C-alpha cells in the first residue's frame, strides 16, 4: 500500500508539522510513530517553567531518548537557573544541535562546554543574562566554526571591540549578530563587522551609545541586509540613513525608535526599500505626514507600522495608509494627538491599534 512507504509518510508529515497537527499520528501505528517522532523532536521549545522542569527531569532519568539524534533546535528561555551539570547533560544527550537559545540561563563554564561539544552549532543566542564574561565570547569565537547567528545582547561591560573583532575574524560568513546594549562598543566594532562580515543579513545595535554617525554609515557595506535595528542610536543622521537605504534595498525589518531622523531619511527609505514589512518610527519626533504618505504609497508590503509620538500625523495620513497598506496588521499611534477616534474606527475597524488615545476635542 502506497501510504505505508516511510519516505512518503515523512514528506506528508513534514508538511503537517507546520500546523502542529502531528501529535495524534503518534498513536496510529508503530510505522507512523517512527516517521513522526524525528520530526516532532527536531525542534524543542520550552517556554514555561513547568515544561522546562519536565524536560530536565526527563534527560536525568533517560539519557538516551530514542529520537535524541533528531534534535536540532533547542530553545529554553528565561529559566531561573540552568546548572552546569544540566548544560553538560544536554550537550551530551543531543549531539546534533545546530540551533541553541539559552537566553538568561548560562555561566562561563556552560558556554565553554557548549562551544567545545556542539560542533555543528549554527545558531547561538545567549543574550541578556547569566554569569557570563568576555572569556565565554572568546571561546565561542575559537570553537564554533560553523556559526551563522550569534546573539550576545545585554552584556554591557563584557562585549568589547576586541571581542567583536575575534568573532568577525573567526566567522566571516556570519549572517546575523545581536549586540544590543553593548555600551563599551565603539566605531571600531562597526568597522570590523562591516569589513570582515559583508554578508550580514541581520544587525541589531540598540543602545550602542559609543558608536558615531560615520561608523554607522559603514553599515551600507552590508548590501544583503534584511533586518536592521538602530533603536535609540542618537548619532544616526539623515545622510547616513539615506546611504544605508540606497545601499541595502532588501531591508524588510527596520527599527528606528527614538532616532533623530527627519522626513528626508524616511522619504529615502520609501524610495529605496520597497520590500519593507516592519517599520518602527516610535519617538521619531521630526517625522511628518509627507514622508509617511510616501512610505504608504511605495512600500505596499508593510504589515507593522509604529508612528507613536510622531506629532505631525493627521487624519489624512491615516486615509493614505488605509488606501495603500492592505496587508497592515499593526498600527502604532500612541501620542498622535492630531488624529480622531472617529477616523480610526471608520478606516481600521479590525486592525490592531497600538497605544491610541484621543483628546476630548469632540471630533
Amino acid at each position: 500500500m502506497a501510504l505505508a512507504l516511510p519516505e512518503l509518510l515523512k514528506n506528508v508529515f513534514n508538511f503537517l508539522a507546520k500546523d502542529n497537527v502531528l501529535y495524534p499520528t503518534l498513536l496510529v501505528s508503530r510505522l507512523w510513530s517512527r516517521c513522526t517522532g524525528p520530526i516532532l523532536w527536531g525542534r524543542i521549545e520550552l517556554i514555561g517553567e513547568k515544561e522546562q522542569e519536565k524536560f530536565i527531569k526527563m534527560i536525568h532519568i533517560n539519557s538516551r531518548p530514542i529520537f535524541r539524534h533528531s534534535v536540532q533546535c533547542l530553545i529554553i528561555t528565561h529559566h531561573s537557573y540552568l546548572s552546569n551539570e544540566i548544560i553538560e547533560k544536554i550537550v551530551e544527550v543531543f549531539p546534533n544541535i545546530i540551533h541553541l537559545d539559552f537566553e538568561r540561563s548560562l555561566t562561563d563554564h556552560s558556554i565553554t562546554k557548549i562551544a567545545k561539544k556542539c560542533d555543528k552549532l549554527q545558531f547561538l543566542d545567549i543574550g541578556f543574562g547569566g554569569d557570563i564574561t568576555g572569556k565565554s565570547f572568546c571561546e565561542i569565537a575559537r570553537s564554533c566554526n560553523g556559526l551563522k547567528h550569534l546573539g550576545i545582547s545585554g552584556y554591557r561591560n563584557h562585549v568589547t571591540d576586541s571581542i567583536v573583532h575575534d568573532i568577525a575574524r573567526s566567522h566571516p560568513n556570519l549572517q546575523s549578530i545581536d549586540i544590543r546594549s553593548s555600551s563599551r562598543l565603539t566605531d571600531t566594532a562597526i568597522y570590523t563587522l562591516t569589513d570582515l562580515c559583508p554578508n550580514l543579513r541581520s544587525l541589531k545595535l540598540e543602545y550602542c551609545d559609543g558608536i558615531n554617525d560615520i561608523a554607522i554609515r559603514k553599515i551600507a557595506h552590508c548590501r544583503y541586509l534584511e533586518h536592521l535595528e538602530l533603536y535609540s542610536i542618537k548619532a544616526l543622521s539623515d545622510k547616513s540613513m539615506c546611504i544605508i537605504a540606497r545601499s541595502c534595498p532588501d531591508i524588510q525589518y527596520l527599527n528606528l525608535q527614538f532616532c533623530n531622523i527627519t522626513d528626508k531619511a524616511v522619504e529615502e527609505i520609501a524610495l529605496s526599500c520597497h520590500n519593507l514589512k516592519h517599520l518602527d518610527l516610535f519617538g521619531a519626533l521630526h517625522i511628518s505626514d509627507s514622508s509617511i504618505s510616501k512610505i504608504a504609497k511605495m512600500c505596499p508590503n508593510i504589515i507593522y507600522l509604529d508612528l507613536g509620538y510622531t506629532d505631525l500625523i493627521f487624519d489624512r495620513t491615516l486615509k493614505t495608509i488605509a488606501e495603500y497598506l492592505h496587508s497592515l496588521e499593526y498600527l502604532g499611534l500612541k501620542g498622535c494627538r492630531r488624529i480622531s477616534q472617529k477616523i480610526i474606527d471608520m478606516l481600521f475597524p479590525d486592525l490592531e491599534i497600538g497605544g491610541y488615545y484621543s483628546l476630548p476635542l469632540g471630533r
Side-chain angles (χ1 to χ4, degrees):
M1 184 176 177
L3 283 178
L5 295 172
E7 290 304 317
L8 178 58
L9 280 175
K10 288 178 182 178
N11 288 337
V12 173
F13 291 156
N14 273 312
F15 178 78
L16 293 175
K18 298 174 183 177
D19 296 321
N20 297 318
V21 295
L22 276 185
Y23 291 99
T25 64
L26 290 168
L27 306 176
V28 174
S29 69
R30 289 183 180 179
L31 174 60
W32 281 42
S33 179
R34 287 200 302 270
C35 293
T36 303
I39 299 172
L40 291 174
W41 276 75
R43 175 186 173 89
I44 300 176
E45 183 171 1
L46 307 171
I47 299 174
E49 196 81 16
K50 289 183 179 180
E51 285 185 357
Q52 295 169 2
E53 294 304 329
K54 284 183 181 178
F55 174 79
I56 291 168
K57 185 177 180 181
M58 181 272 293
I59 62 173
H60 270 304
I61 295 174
N62 180 10
S63 61
R64 294 290 185 271
I66 187 171
F67 296 117
R68 70 190 187 93
H69 289 284
S70 300
V71 177
Q72 293 189 322
C73 174
L74 179 59
I75 301 174
I76 304 179
T77 56
H78 304 289
H79 192 281
S80 56
Y81 177 67
L82 289 177
S83 69
N84 293 330
E85 178 188 0
I86 293 171
I87 297 298
E88 290 181 28
K89 193 74 172 176
I90 287 173
V91 298
E92 175 190 338
V93 173
F94 306 114
N96 294 323
I97 286 177
I98 62 174
H99 180 128
L100 198 52
D101 188 337
F102 275 157
E103 192 173 291
R104 306 190 185 206
S105 303
L106 301 178
T107 65
D108 278 339
H109 180 84
S110 304
I111 292 296
T112 301
K113 288 293 181 182
I114 290 170
K116 290 182 177 179
K117 293 284 187 179
C118 298
D119 57 347
K120 298 180 177 69
L121 205 59
Q122 296 179 15
F123 181 109
L124 178 61
D125 197 326
I126 52 173
F128 288 101
D131 185 16
I132 297 177
T133 67
K135 175 184 176 182
S136 291
F137 306 133
C138 292
E139 188 61 53
I140 291 168
R142 284 194 298 267
S143 304
C144 300
N145 297 322
L147 213 57
K148 294 181 179 178
H149 166 85
L150 179 60
I152 51 174
S153 56
Y155 301 99
R156 292 185 177 277
N157 297 317
H158 296 308
V159 178
T160 63
D161 291 344
S162 62
I163 286 173
V164 170
H165 180 270
D166 288 345
I167 292 169
R169 183 184 59 188
S170 302
H171 305 285
N173 295 319
L174 198 67
Q175 295 182 5
S176 173
I177 188 166
D178 181 354
I179 46 178
R180 290 173 293 165
S181 299
S182 300
S183 56
R184 290 184 63 186
L185 293 183
T186 70
D187 297 346
T188 303
I190 303 302
Y191 295 144
T192 300
L193 276 175
T194 54
D195 288 341
L196 298 181
C197 303
N199 296 320
L200 277 177
R201 261 67 171 179
S202 176
L203 179 59
K204 299 181 182 181
L205 291 175
E206 298 178 10
Y207 290 118
C208 294
D209 303 324
I211 300 170
N212 72 33
D213 186 53
I214 301 300
I216 293 170
R217 202 169 298 175
K218 291 274 288 182
I219 294 172
H221 289 191
C222 300
R223 297 182 180 275
Y224 302 107
L225 266 185
E226 298 175 357
H227 186 121
L228 179 60
E229 297 188 24
L230 299 175
Y231 183 112
S232 197
I233 302 292
K234 302 297 185 184
L236 178 65
S237 69
D238 279 343
K239 183 175 181 180
S240 291
M241 190 63 244
C242 289
I243 292 172
I244 292 170
R246 286 193 291 268
S247 300
C248 307
D250 294 329
I251 288 178
Q252 298 180 27
Y253 185 112
L254 187 56
N255 187 334
L256 300 173
Q257 281 194 50
F258 298 107
C259 291
N260 293 321
I261 57 171
T262 69
D263 283 335
K264 181 179 179 181
V266 178
E267 287 173 4
E268 186 59 54
I269 292 168
L271 288 169
S272 302
C273 304
H274 297 156
N275 295 321
L276 203 59
K277 293 182 178 179
H278 181 117
L279 179 59
D280 196 332
L281 296 171
F282 186 98
L285 304 179
H286 309 297
I287 305 301
S288 74
D289 165 80
S290 172
S291 61
I292 298 304
S293 294
K294 289 183 180 179
I295 286 285
K297 292 176 181 178
M298 305 185 76
C299 302
N301 299 318
I302 287 180
I303 60 176
Y304 182 106
L305 180 61
D306 199 331
L307 306 174
Y309 291 103
T310 50
D311 197 41
L312 296 177
I313 301 299
F314 305 93
D315 287 349
R316 64 175 180 266
T317 319
L318 300 186
K319 291 178 181 178
T320 304
I321 290 172
E323 181 180 357
Y324 289 95
L325 297 183
H326 303 300
S327 300
L328 197 62
E329 297 176 3
Y330 175 90
L331 180 60
L333 296 172
K334 184 175 183 179
C336 297
R337 299 182 293 175
R338 300 176 188 272
I339 57 178
S340 67
Q341 183 69 57
K342 182 179 178 181
I343 291 293
I344 289 289
D345 295 339
M346 181 180 72
L347 295 177
F348 308 106
D350 302 317
L351 189 66
E352 180 183 354
I353 304 295
Y356 174 75
Y357 67 89
S358 59
L359 293 179
L361 300 178
R363 297 201 294 168

